[in-house]
Amino acid sequence: MKNLLHYIQARCEISTSDLHLIKTHSISENVPAQTKLLQAGKIERYVYFLSKGIVKGYQNIDGKIVVQHLVQAHDFFTSLDSFMSQTPAIDYYETITDCELIKISKLDYDSLQTQSSFWSDFIKTVTNEHLNCKLERVKDFQTLTAKARYLKFINQQPELALNVSVDTIASFLGMEPQSLSRIRKQITF
């Protein structure tokens, strides 16, 4: 819970009563590596804050795993469309490492929305941060070479680069594992 509160306080001012509300509407959970948190076709019931560990979000497109999200500690994640509309998800979320999660159910999320003006403002801030990251990722795919994307990835997210498989990183960066292996051989540190 401490990591979540620190994350919130770094972005917004929060009252003691709002802190208490968040604590009462949150559930802490330890989850082992390789645990599916969500499967395609199921409805996303939670928004998660990853306090510790690494999670991947992906789709299975014609039998090929396409990694769209690599989430590291101190960030939120969910299958947003499924969570907000309570319709079946098209993606999967799975822990890569042992994880400590804080989860907020849809019912608790909605309750926070009605009980606190802070929560709405905070969600807008987090949503804008995530939208900016997505826009930068799209721009990187349009303007950077595969090698440049990989170099940016290892410079900006060294924890992920050290703890995620080559296959997963390659999929996340939009290349085949063999291409990433060639790029890694070209780079001297």
Side-chain angles (χ1 to χ4, degrees):
M1 187 62 69
K2 183 177 90 175
N3 289 334
L4 173 59
L5 299 180
H6 180 73
Y7 179 93
I8 292 169
Q9 291 170 327
R11 284 157 181 78
C12 305
E13 284 196 33
I14 184 169
S15 69
T16 306
S17 61
D18 285 329
L19 280 173
H20 179 71
L21 268 177
I22 291 168
K23 286 179 184 179
T24 59
H25 290 288
S26 303
I27 301 166
S28 296
E29 184 175 17
N30 291 322
V31 180
Q34 283 93 44
T35 300
K36 281 200 172 70
L37 301 170
L38 176 66
Q39 293 187 33
K42 303 287 184 186
I43 295 173
E44 177 61 90
R45 304 279 184 212
Y46 298 97
V47 62
Y48 299 91
F49 178 79
L50 184 59
S51 192
K52 181 180 176 186
I54 301 171
V55 170
K56 68 179 175 181
Y58 61 94
Q59 289 184 6
N60 184 333
I61 301 173
D62 297 327
K64 182 177 180 181
I65 301 299
V66 179
V67 178
Q68 297 163 324
H69 308 281
L70 284 175
V71 185
Q72 56 188 339
H74 306 170
D75 207 355
F76 279 93
F77 69 94
T78 190
S79 178
L80 190 59
D81 289 342
S82 177
F83 180 76
M84 295 307 284
S85 65
Q86 290 297 278
T87 56
I90 60 171
D91 41 7
Y92 298 78
Y93 277 89
E94 181 179 335
T95 60
I96 292 176
T97 63
D98 292 344
C99 292
E100 292 176 15
L101 302 169
I102 297 170
K103 59 186 189 177
I104 300 171
S105 71
K106 177 68 167 132
L107 183 65
D108 284 324
Y109 178 92
D110 291 343
S111 182
L112 284 166
Q113 290 274 49
T114 60
Q115 293 180 35
S116 169
S117 62
F118 157 79
W119 186 250
S120 293
D121 293 340
F122 173 68
I123 292 302
K124 285 178 190 171
T125 299
V126 171
T127 302
N128 284 335
E129 285 179 14
H130 283 229
L131 179 58
N132 286 334
C133 287
K134 292 245 185 237
L135 291 172
E136 183 176 349
R137 188 163 146 75
V138 168
K139 187 179 98 186
D140 287 351
F141 272 95
Q142 293 173 332
T143 62
L144 298 178
T145 65
K147 183 176 181 178
R149 286 195 309 273
Y150 178 66
L151 288 170
K152 182 176 182 179
F153 175 78
I154 61 175
N155 286 326
Q156 290 184 345
Q157 300 172 317
E159 178 76 13
L160 292 177
L162 292 173
N163 293 296
V164 176
S165 73
V166 170
D167 287 356
T168 298
I169 293 170
S171 178
F172 181 70
L173 295 175
M175 61 184 86
E176 294 299 320
Q178 301 84 348
S179 298
L180 180 55
S181 292
R182 279 192 298 277
I183 290 168
R184 289 166 51 118
K185 287 178 185 173
Q186 294 171 2
I187 300 170
T188 56
F189 291 98

